[in-house]
Amino acid sequence: MSRAAIYPGSFDPLTYGHVSIIERGLRVFEKIIVGIAINVRKDPLFTVKERTDLIRQSFPDESRLEVDSFQGLLIDYAQLRGCQVILRGLRAVSDFEYELQMANMNRKLDDTIETVFMMTEESHFYVSSGLVKEVARFGGAVSDQVPDHVEEALANKFSDPQ
Ligand code: PNS
């Protein structure tokens, strides 16, 4: 049995909340595969390559971390990668219903793959990529919510004429 877990998400961009789940996930699992979902319905700020690089830069020497991307169903990707565990972070209560629905749907699709939740650290409870983008777009400080290189990438995005 593989002891690898897939940590899926949009990661648009990586926040300290994600960093914390990856760090803690690496203490529990032998390997973490970050799966960046290519979602045709969402209009991401960062390309998959940019999101991959921002994640990789936070863990330059971590050989047990792989950053990959996938299209289509998460469960198909988990099967393709031979992973029995999907790792998700749970923040405030507001996440719960969405996460419960996804976990149940994924279990219906394949009940051999478990979704495992880690509670987000208190200090990252209200950190979300969406809010970070909104604040950064209008020049607000996000330095306590994202790593320095992500803050820089956000500033570059919003200073470029789009
Ligand atoms: O970071 P996000 O945007 O909350 O992550 C959501 C994600 C990517 C995990 C979810 O949208 C997903 O799994 N997308 C892949 C398509 C899929 O499998 N959808 C059915 C989920 S029940």
Side-chain angles (χ1 to χ4, degrees):
M1 186 187 286
S2 159
R3 292 283 178 82
I6 290 178
Y7 179 36
S10 304
F11 303 98
D12 186 41
L14 178 83
T15 67
Y16 277 138
H18 298 131
V19 169
S20 166
I21 298 292
I22 294 170
E23 281 172 353
R24 290 159 59 209
L26 284 167
R27 288 188 212 136
V28 177
F29 300 101
E30 280 170 10
K31 179 177 176 174
I32 299 281
I33 301 171
V34 170
I36 302 174
I38 304 170
N39 187 339
V40 282
R41 273 185 297 131
K42 281 193 181 173
D43 184 19
L45 178 65
F46 292 97
T47 64
V48 170
K49 164 88 171 67
E50 287 169 333
R51 283 179 271 168
T52 303
D53 291 346
L54 290 176
I55 298 167
R56 202 63 257 186
Q57 279 171 51
S58 277
F59 299 89
D61 303 317
E62 184 50 79
S63 60
R64 293 187 298 121
L65 179 73
E66 181 183 335
V67 187
D68 192 16
S69 59
F70 71 97
Q71 228 157 355
L73 287 180
L74 170 59
I75 216 75
D76 290 341
Y77 178 64
Q79 288 167 350
L80 183 81
R81 298 303 312 263
C83 273
Q84 270 91 33
V85 177
I86 293 168
L87 176 64
R88 291 285 286 172
L90 256 193
R91 289 170 303 185
V93 182
S94 50
D95 282 346
F96 183 81
E97 203 162 318
Y98 170 59
E99 294 296 337
L100 181 69
Q101 280 178 359
M102 279 206 300
N104 280 334
M105 180 61 85
N106 283 329
R107 190 180 310 106
K108 272 202 184 98
L109 294 170
D110 185 340
D111 66 3
T112 66
I113 297 177
E114 273 303 326
T115 303
V116 169
F117 293 98
M118 279 188 173
M119 304 303 289
T120 301
E121 273 178 70
E122 219 178 343
S123 52
H124 303 129
F125 228 60
Y126 297 102
V127 178
S128 84
S129 299
L131 287 181
V132 161
K133 278 183 284 192
E134 198 168 305
V135 172
R137 184 183 298 273
F138 296 109
V142 289
S143 51
D144 57 342
Q145 298 175 48
V146 297
D148 291 349
H149 63 282
V150 175
E151 193 183 12
E152 209 174 296
L154 281 162
N156 288 337
K157 277 279 174 199
F158 292 127
S159 69
D160 285 349
Q162 290 183 43

